[in-house]
Amino acid sequence: MVIMEMSEMLTWLVPAPPLISFFVIILFTSRHRSMSHLVALFAMGLSLLFSWVIVFNALSTDHFGEHPIASDVGWLPTGDTVLRMGVAVDPLTIVMLTFVPLACFLIILYSVGYSNFGKGRDQRDISGSPPHHGVEPMYSRFFAFLSLFAGAMLVLTVADNLLLLFFGWEIMGLCSYLLIGFWYGRTYDDKFQITPSGAAVKAFMTTRLADVIMLIGIAYLYFEAGTLNFREIFFNEEIMKHLLESPSLIGGMAAAHFIGLLIFAGTVGKSAQFPLHVWLPDAMEGPTPVSAMIHAAAMVSAGVYMVIRMFPLLNSGGHGSPALTVMAFVGAFTALFAATIAVAQNDVKRVLAYSTISQLGYMIAALGIGAYVAAAFHLMTHAFFKALLFMGSGSIIHGVEHGMHQTNDKLDPQDMLNMGGLAKRMPTTYWTFVIGGFSLAGFPFVTAGFWSKDEILADAFAHGHWWVFVVLLISAFLTAFYTMRQISLTFLGDARTESAAKAHESAWTMTLPLVVLSFFAVFAGYVGVHMDFPVLGAMLGSNPFEHFVIGSLPHHISGFEFEWTPVIFSVVAGISGLFLGWLVYGRRPLVIGQQDPLVKVLGPLYGVFANKYYFDELYNVVLVRPVKWISEVVAFKWIDRVLIDGALHSVANLTMKIGSVAVWFEKWGIDYAPDKFGDGVRFSGQSFRVIQSGRVQDYLNITLSAVVVIGAILFVILR
Amino acid sequence: MSEFILHITSTLTVVTFFPLVGVFVLLLINKEKKDLLRWVGVGTALLTFIFSLVMLGQFDSQDAGMQLVVSETWIQIGSNWSIDYHLGVDGLSVLLVLLGTLLTPIAMFASWTAIEERVKEYMIFFLLLEVGMTGVFLALDLFLFYIFWEFTLVPMYFLIGIWGGENRIYASIKFFLYTMAGSILMLVAVLWIGTVQGTFSYTALVSMGNIPLGTQRWLFLAFAAAFAIKVPMWPLHSWLPDAHVEAPTAGSVILAGVLLKLGTYGFLRFNLGLFPDASHYFAPSIAFLAVVGIIYGAIVSYPQKDVKKLVAYSSVSHLGFVMLGLFALNDLGIQGAILQMVNHGISTGALFLIVGMIYERRHTRSLDEFGGLWTVMPLYGSLTLIVVLSSMGLPGLNGFVGEFTILLGAFGSQALGSYFYSIFAALGVILAAIYMLWMFQKMFLGSVSNEKNTLLQDLNWREIVVLVPLLILIFWIGLYPSPFFNLMSASVEQLTAALDFGTALVLQ
């Protein structure tokens, strides 16, 4: 009991330190660099500590899923009910609490080195542009934003209702805007290259579009269910029955599923699923720790977490609900679609960006076929190895940039064709990157990525979702291939530029997080090995992950029998992809000036992949330009100026005509005297110059006469 | 005599008329002593704000009815029939009174250096304007209400016409005539009610409540004509951008912050309160226009090159939300609408202040002139970002709470009977992000492209002082809105109960 109470209090405290740290840094320590990062690190460390105490307590509680932690306060009185805001921790939250704070902490630590702490200010540097060789000019602000980002993610993680979750969700959207556009002053010579500020707006707008659809879903859910608290909805048979039986706006679909789809739209934006994936690759314009934050620890994970959270609603009425089918389709398609693009990218971070989209597709597809546990499992392992890979790529870029400063070359430090041979120069980065890459590729039995990916494939296979199985298998093969391509192009062979030859290993603040994450990228998978897997299954405690996480659901969902066939398929896909990648790129690494062999093999397809299927161009033509045209020409010019104001001016002119007739009538008809009231009617015309001529009293006369008229009317009526 | 003193010292009388004391003092001061004039003006407004806090202290949020009522026969006409000096405050008006008394000193303080010409008249007009605004929110006699309502036009007209921009004459006339045209119809309706029902008293009329539906419709439309122009509802909005662009900064703050709320408050108090059946009858049409306004205002904001015009058009969109909430005719919708009135006053008020700050430095408001300002003026950029986010409804800041509550209300509204109002209104939320972020990007992001912007000074202490109270409210309402809702909930529930009772009659 005491433990539960402590956990309850700690849950409220989990998101608090980073949020407080944001304000502390902004308000007090913005001029002291070391203070700023110490505050951020200390706060994040505190969150990490609180989280892990909660995790530890939960793991040592039997049947934790039946007695989750929950606590709330009234927030918005809405007539007869009160919308309450609170925190809750159930097994699914525990999963998040194990990796989110850890990843955030490591990212903040990494940022110390990344922002060149310890070096002096370079005189050439200005705020809003990347530093040349000195410390980041807006050092403190960077840590403040990262803290806010982490705090928002933790709010989302411990939220007990959709509204509070949405708070965290949107504040993260804001942080992504601020951080992607952190170097807001940066502009490029190439006008068509997207700038950080452009990418920031694009990210925010795309996700916001999705968020508003989600917000409609939230309103709809509140309308139908009368509450937004997860547990109150999912564990209440009556509400669930009502949701399932109410017809929705779309004929034939249950309200539960329609609401589920509206909310899923939020995930499509946040987790960059097709067709709203376009913002994520451009988000690479932000500093690399931000990319790690967005791609692993926080933003995209939040999207997947949210649909996993909403699974009971999406799944209501049993398997094959239309909502889940849509998700399976979107997820599987995205997984393959993004993997093909990743194959033809040369920017070291963009490869990873598309890989993230692809892996998120895996999770969405997994959820779509009902593989609840596998989706959560892959979410966790992916966070570890993707955070590792991103920070690794940041280390690589940093290394190359270091070389550039010595050679004074001007080249793109992110282009893999400018690298090569970095293994010798940056050994820690190299080995950790290989571990992360192999985990992503699903190298059998020894990497975490293998176990989680295998579980998704096995589930698809066992439940007969053939096309999902095949699509994901092909994606797995492509994933392994482009990972090996990336490792080879970056690290193997000889340096293809002077700068790459002069690169050197990054500071310990950057490499330590890599080492820690490599540990998890290998071992995190062993908590979720299928219980019937020969030897390992029993040895590792019969899949403790599944037993624990399943407790979050109101009803148990069926597991599946262990089978060898999908395992063999997934082993073959991973290994053959890696091997092919090695054959093409690793065996005889590219030399200076040599073309990517893929260009020849794929022919015109390569161009399609490299240009991301031309989606940016398409959206520009069918969405952006028409909206601009409507707002500038149709709405503003035609309707507002011509139609509405035009009508108004005609009325005014008409009044003026009547007015002049009245004046004429008074002047010639009544007593020749220019009456003040008659002048007043002429106000409606442009001839009005009362103020300029200083005849302020004219106006008062009119008001006075108006009052007299009103009084006269009154008097007549009252008589 | 003692009774007279009792009335003159009653809280609401003081809150309403205290600015007149300042006006008299100002009249006695030499017009060349500009700083003294400013201090007296701002000081009076500040004291008025403090008095309104006293009013808040005396306000009982559990009581749904009229409180702190002052009632005295003003003009006796006939034997049993009079125009009364009748003031009172309830949950529907208390926040709006506070909004007005808060924004007035802020707006006046913000004009410290911007206004150098005719300081004396400026301060006097501002204080007179405050009397009118507060009077509108507090008046419970229909005729008294009408007088205050028209009275607000005069000082605003001069504020635009004398201290405005180049095209101020056109703008002030458009503003004046347009709003006056609407009010005439309301006057007719007020007189009709007074003669037929035998009283101008709002509270008496509400308790009588036996106007037949057919008549209610006509009266509803007559009142709506005045209020819809003031709000302004689409397509009656075209006076607003012109008035805003030409008005001096402080004038815009009050115009957007408080004067537009006179319209929405009018709908809330009189249309919903006096004509419940007609409100149900017209709810879908009004909500339709509101939604059109939400989307239209947002779309038209985007191509604006003048920052102030952009903000002005965004008001059309935001006020559309308020109207949608009001005519959801349920607790959630109306509570959200009232809060959104306050929110809009805070956020848009702050935006106009912010535009004014850069205008004072550069004497231009054209988006094309700016870029990269965040590098030059970091504090200014950061504070602007907070206000921009508040205005576009980011959760955690005030705008979201209002919009979300309104969307919830409209979604569940039986009076509207369709989800689609909410769904299309939500489109406005997306569009708001487009034009707001566009503005922020054009002004603050990128590299400093214009030579003239390189040496701009960041905010001074006076400008910070002006913005801080608004920023505090932005966070407070965004994070913990309960105290604000608690102030209004009892009165709103009473109103919706009456509205539902109204439908019961219609159905019979």
Side-chain angles (χ1 to χ4, degrees), chain A residues 600-624:
Chain A
K600 230 181 203 165
V601 178
L602 290 174
L605 261 185
Y606 183 89
V608 175
F609 292 163
N611 289 298
K612 310 136 198 172
Y613 293 82
Y614 300 98
F615 264 98
D616 282 331
E617 290 78 5
L618 180 73
Y619 286 172
N620 197 22
V621 172
V622 301
L623 275 175
V624 179

mmCIF file of all heavy atoms in Angstrom, chain A residues 600-624:
data_model
loop_
_atom_site.group_PDB
_atom_site.id
_atom_site.type_symbol
_atom_site.label_atom_id
_atom_site.label_comp_id
_atom_site.label_asym_id
_atom_site.label_seq_id
_atom_site.Cartn_x
_atom_site.Cartn_y
_atom_site.Cartn_z
ATOM 1 N N LYS A 600 22.603 2.049 -61.713
ATOM 2 C CA LYS A 600 22.552 1.264 -62.945
ATOM 3 C C LYS A 600 21.539 0.129 -62.817
ATOM 4 O O LYS A 600 20.737 -0.110 -63.720
ATOM 5 C CB LYS A 600 23.941 0.667 -63.215
ATOM 6 C CG LYS A 600 24.407 0.935 -64.626
ATOM 7 C CD LYS A 600 25.754 0.323 -64.846
ATOM 8 C CE LYS A 600 26.472 1.025 -65.991
ATOM 9 N NZ LYS A 600 27.901 0.700 -65.987
ATOM 10 N N VAL A 601 21.566 -0.534 -61.661
ATOM 11 C CA VAL A 601 20.715 -1.707 -61.469
ATOM 12 C C VAL A 601 19.239 -1.318 -61.504
ATOM 13 O O VAL A 601 18.423 -1.957 -62.165
ATOM 14 C CB VAL A 601 21.039 -2.394 -60.120
ATOM 15 C CG1 VAL A 601 20.121 -3.593 -59.892
ATOM 16 C CG2 VAL A 601 22.499 -2.817 -60.082
ATOM 17 N N LEU A 602 18.902 -0.254 -60.800
ATOM 18 C CA LEU A 602 17.487 0.116 -60.680
ATOM 19 C C LEU A 602 16.983 0.936 -61.857
ATOM 20 O O LEU A 602 15.784 1.030 -62.080
ATOM 21 C CB LEU A 602 17.253 0.884 -59.390
ATOM 22 C CG LEU A 602 17.377 0.080 -58.097
ATOM 23 C CD1 LEU A 602 17.259 0.985 -56.902
ATOM 24 C CD2 LEU A 602 16.319 -1.017 -58.033
ATOM 25 N N GLY A 603 17.911 1.538 -62.601
ATOM 26 C CA GLY A 603 17.493 2.330 -63.755
ATOM 27 C C GLY A 603 16.618 3.503 -63.335
ATOM 28 O O GLY A 603 16.903 4.174 -62.344
ATOM 29 N N PRO A 604 15.512 3.750 -64.062
ATOM 30 C CA PRO A 604 14.649 4.898 -63.743
ATOM 31 C C PRO A 604 14.031 4.796 -62.344
ATOM 32 O O PRO A 604 13.695 5.805 -61.736
ATOM 33 C CB PRO A 604 13.565 4.845 -64.824
ATOM 34 C CG PRO A 604 13.665 3.500 -65.452
ATOM 35 C CD PRO A 604 15.053 3.007 -65.242
ATOM 36 N N LEU A 605 13.869 3.560 -61.851
ATOM 37 C CA LEU A 605 13.304 3.402 -60.507
ATOM 38 C C LEU A 605 14.135 4.152 -59.477
ATOM 39 O O LEU A 605 13.616 4.682 -58.491
ATOM 40 C CB LEU A 605 13.273 1.917 -60.126
ATOM 41 C CG LEU A 605 11.944 1.185 -60.300
ATOM 42 C CD1 LEU A 605 12.069 -0.223 -59.765
ATOM 43 C CD2 LEU A 605 10.827 1.923 -59.605
ATOM 44 N N TYR A 606 15.440 4.180 -59.683
ATOM 45 C CA TYR A 606 16.320 4.840 -58.729
ATOM 46 C C TYR A 606 15.918 6.307 -58.557
ATOM 47 O O TYR A 606 15.855 6.826 -57.444
ATOM 48 C CB TYR A 606 17.781 4.736 -59.194
ATOM 49 C CG TYR A 606 18.748 5.339 -58.198
ATOM 50 C CD1 TYR A 606 19.270 4.558 -57.172
ATOM 51 C CD2 TYR A 606 19.130 6.678 -58.274
ATOM 52 C CE1 TYR A 606 20.134 5.098 -56.241
ATOM 53 C CE2 TYR A 606 19.998 7.229 -57.352
ATOM 54 C CZ TYR A 606 20.504 6.433 -56.351
ATOM 55 O OH TYR A 606 21.355 6.966 -55.426
ATOM 56 N N GLY A 607 15.635 6.944 -59.683
ATOM 57 C CA GLY A 607 15.210 8.335 -59.618
ATOM 58 C C GLY A 607 13.917 8.500 -58.829
ATOM 59 O O GLY A 607 13.765 9.417 -58.031
ATOM 60 N N VAL A 608 12.995 7.567 -59.047
ATOM 61 C CA VAL A 608 11.727 7.619 -58.325
ATOM 62 C C VAL A 608 11.975 7.492 -56.823
ATOM 63 O O VAL A 608 11.444 8.249 -56.013
ATOM 64 C CB VAL A 608 10.785 6.504 -58.817
ATOM 65 C CG1 VAL A 608 9.510 6.479 -57.985
ATOM 66 C CG2 VAL A 608 10.452 6.709 -60.282
ATOM 67 N N PHE A 609 12.805 6.523 -56.452
ATOM 68 C CA PHE A 609 13.105 6.330 -55.026
ATOM 69 C C PHE A 609 13.828 7.546 -54.451
ATOM 70 O O PHE A 609 13.485 8.057 -53.395
ATOM 71 C CB PHE A 609 13.989 5.091 -54.815
ATOM 72 C CG PHE A 609 13.293 3.796 -55.128
ATOM 73 C CD1 PHE A 609 14.027 2.631 -55.333
ATOM 74 C CD2 PHE A 609 11.912 3.729 -55.217
ATOM 75 C CE1 PHE A 609 13.399 1.436 -55.617
ATOM 76 C CE2 PHE A 609 11.274 2.531 -55.505
ATOM 77 C CZ PHE A 609 12.021 1.387 -55.710
ATOM 78 N N ALA A 610 14.859 7.972 -55.187
ATOM 79 C CA ALA A 610 15.675 9.069 -54.674
ATOM 80 C C ALA A 610 14.840 10.332 -54.491
ATOM 81 O O ALA A 610 15.080 11.115 -53.580
ATOM 82 C CB ALA A 610 16.845 9.341 -55.606
ATOM 83 N N ASN A 611 13.843 10.511 -55.373
ATOM 84 C CA ASN A 611 12.988 11.693 -55.258
ATOM 85 C C ASN A 611 11.729 11.416 -54.467
ATOM 86 O O ASN A 611 10.749 12.158 -54.557
ATOM 87 C CB ASN A 611 12.645 12.234 -56.636
ATOM 88 C CG ASN A 611 13.852 12.874 -57.293
ATOM 89 O OD1 ASN A 611 14.386 13.840 -56.781
ATOM 90 N ND2 ASN A 611 14.292 12.302 -58.392
ATOM 91 N N LYS A 612 11.746 10.363 -53.702
ATOM 92 C CA LYS A 612 10.656 10.056 -52.759
ATOM 93 C C LYS A 612 9.310 9.973 -53.440
ATOM 94 O O LYS A 612 8.308 10.463 -52.931
ATOM 95 C CB LYS A 612 10.601 11.115 -51.653
ATOM 96 C CG LYS A 612 11.922 11.390 -50.996
ATOM 97 C CD LYS A 612 12.101 12.889 -50.824
ATOM 98 C CE LYS A 612 13.576 13.208 -50.591
ATOM 99 N NZ LYS A 612 13.834 14.640 -50.610
ATOM 100 N N TYR A 613 9.285 9.372 -54.608
ATOM 101 C CA TYR A 613 8.059 9.207 -55.383
ATOM 102 C C TYR A 613 7.422 10.564 -55.702
ATOM 103 O O TYR A 613 6.239 10.649 -55.954
ATOM 104 C CB TYR A 613 7.036 8.344 -54.635
ATOM 105 C CG TYR A 613 7.452 6.901 -54.453
ATOM 106 C CD1 TYR A 613 8.293 6.524 -53.429
ATOM 107 C CD2 TYR A 613 6.969 5.912 -55.308
ATOM 108 C CE1 TYR A 613 8.664 5.197 -53.257
ATOM 109 C CE2 TYR A 613 7.326 4.581 -55.140
ATOM 110 C CZ TYR A 613 8.176 4.230 -54.110
ATOM 111 O OH TYR A 613 8.534 2.918 -53.934
ATOM 112 N N TYR A 614 8.181 11.620 -55.629
ATOM 113 C CA TYR A 614 7.725 12.977 -55.986
ATOM 114 C C TYR A 614 6.513 13.447 -55.181
ATOM 115 O O TYR A 614 5.672 14.180 -55.679
ATOM 116 C CB TYR A 614 7.402 13.049 -57.490
ATOM 117 C CG TYR A 614 8.595 12.742 -58.343
ATOM 118 C CD1 TYR A 614 8.784 11.476 -58.868
ATOM 119 C CD2 TYR A 614 9.559 13.714 -58.600
ATOM 120 C CE1 TYR A 614 9.909 11.166 -59.629
ATOM 121 C CE2 TYR A 614 10.673 13.426 -59.365
ATOM 122 C CZ TYR A 614 10.844 12.156 -59.871
ATOM 123 O OH TYR A 614 11.944 11.867 -60.620
ATOM 124 N N PHE A 615 6.414 13.011 -53.930
ATOM 125 C CA PHE A 615 5.245 13.397 -53.138
ATOM 126 C C PHE A 615 5.248 14.877 -52.783
ATOM 127 O O PHE A 615 4.204 15.510 -52.739
ATOM 128 C CB PHE A 615 5.117 12.534 -51.878
ATOM 129 C CG PHE A 615 4.180 11.400 -52.094
ATOM 130 C CD1 PHE A 615 4.658 10.141 -52.417
ATOM 131 C CD2 PHE A 615 2.814 11.595 -52.001
ATOM 132 C CE1 PHE A 615 3.786 9.102 -52.640
ATOM 133 C CE2 PHE A 615 1.935 10.557 -52.220
ATOM 134 C CZ PHE A 615 2.426 9.300 -52.540
ATOM 135 N N ASP A 616 6.425 15.424 -52.501
ATOM 136 C CA ASP A 616 6.479 16.853 -52.172
ATOM 137 C C ASP A 616 5.947 17.685 -53.326
ATOM 138 O O ASP A 616 5.168 18.619 -53.139
ATOM 139 C CB ASP A 616 7.925 17.273 -51.861
ATOM 140 C CG ASP A 616 8.323 16.855 -50.463
ATOM 141 O OD1 ASP A 616 7.425 16.777 -49.599
ATOM 142 O OD2 ASP A 616 9.520 16.596 -50.234
ATOM 143 N N GLU A 617 6.372 17.304 -54.526
ATOM 144 C CA GLU A 617 5.945 18.051 -55.705
ATOM 145 C C GLU A 617 4.435 17.911 -55.910
ATOM 146 O O GLU A 617 3.735 18.870 -56.218
ATOM 147 C CB GLU A 617 6.695 17.540 -56.950
ATOM 148 C CG GLU A 617 8.176 17.893 -56.980
ATOM 149 C CD GLU A 617 9.040 17.020 -56.079
ATOM 150 O OE1 GLU A 617 8.505 16.063 -55.481
ATOM 151 O OE2 GLU A 617 10.251 17.288 -55.966
ATOM 152 N N LEU A 618 3.954 16.681 -55.698
ATOM 153 C CA LEU A 618 2.531 16.416 -55.880
ATOM 154 C C LEU A 618 1.701 17.264 -54.920
ATOM 155 O O LEU A 618 0.746 17.930 -55.317
ATOM 156 C CB LEU A 618 2.255 14.934 -55.648
ATOM 157 C CG LEU A 618 0.798 14.516 -55.805
ATOM 158 C CD1 LEU A 618 0.397 14.517 -57.267
ATOM 159 C CD2 LEU A 618 0.559 13.139 -55.203
ATOM 160 N N TYR A 619 2.072 17.252 -53.655
ATOM 161 C CA TYR A 619 1.314 18.012 -52.669
ATOM 162 C C TYR A 619 1.353 19.499 -52.972
ATOM 163 O O TYR A 619 0.389 20.221 -52.740
ATOM 164 C CB TYR A 619 1.859 17.751 -51.254
ATOM 165 C CG TYR A 619 1.485 16.399 -50.714
ATOM 166 C CD1 TYR A 619 2.019 15.937 -49.520
ATOM 167 C CD2 TYR A 619 0.588 15.587 -51.392
ATOM 168 C CE1 TYR A 619 1.672 14.689 -49.021
ATOM 169 C CE2 TYR A 619 0.247 14.344 -50.908
ATOM 170 C CZ TYR A 619 0.791 13.898 -49.717
ATOM 171 O OH TYR A 619 0.454 12.680 -49.231
ATOM 172 N N ASN A 620 2.480 19.924 -53.478
ATOM 173 C CA ASN A 620 2.593 21.331 -53.820
ATOM 174 C C ASN A 620 1.576 21.717 -54.886
ATOM 175 O O ASN A 620 0.920 22.743 -54.788
ATOM 176 C CB ASN A 620 4.020 21.611 -54.302
ATOM 177 C CG ASN A 620 4.324 23.086 -54.290
ATOM 178 O OD1 ASN A 620 3.674 23.836 -53.581
ATOM 179 N ND2 ASN A 620 5.279 23.503 -55.092
ATOM 180 N N VAL A 621 1.433 20.833 -55.878
ATOM 181 C CA VAL A 621 0.538 21.161 -56.973
ATOM 182 C C VAL A 621 -0.929 21.007 -56.585
ATOM 183 O O VAL A 621 -1.752 21.859 -56.888
ATOM 184 C CB VAL A 621 0.864 20.287 -58.215
ATOM 185 C CG1 VAL A 621 -0.183 20.489 -59.290
ATOM 186 C CG2 VAL A 621 2.247 20.622 -58.725
ATOM 187 N N VAL A 622 -1.263 19.932 -55.887
ATOM 188 C CA VAL A 622 -2.689 19.696 -55.625
ATOM 189 C C VAL A 622 -3.188 20.328 -54.332
ATOM 190 O O VAL A 622 -4.378 20.486 -54.151
ATOM 191 C CB VAL A 622 -3.040 18.193 -55.615
ATOM 192 C CG1 VAL A 622 -2.688 17.560 -56.943
ATOM 193 C CG2 VAL A 622 -2.363 17.477 -54.474
ATOM 194 N N LEU A 623 -2.297 20.664 -53.409
ATOM 195 C CA LEU A 623 -2.765 21.217 -52.138
ATOM 196 C C LEU A 623 -2.317 22.653 -51.901
ATOM 197 O O LEU A 623 -3.120 23.562 -51.779
ATOM 198 C CB LEU A 623 -2.264 20.346 -50.976
ATOM 199 C CG LEU A 623 -3.120 19.138 -50.635
ATOM 200 C CD1 LEU A 623 -2.456 18.317 -49.557
ATOM 201 C CD2 LEU A 623 -4.491 19.596 -50.162
ATOM 202 N N VAL A 624 -1.004 22.826 -51.820
ATOM 203 C CA VAL A 624 -0.487 24.106 -51.364
ATOM 204 C C VAL A 624 -0.908 25.249 -52.284
ATOM 205 O O VAL A 624 -1.455 26.259 -51.850
ATOM 206 C CB VAL A 624 1.051 24.041 -51.249
ATOM 207 C CG1 VAL A 624 1.593 25.384 -50.789
ATOM 208 C CG2 VAL A 624 1.451 22.948 -50.284
#
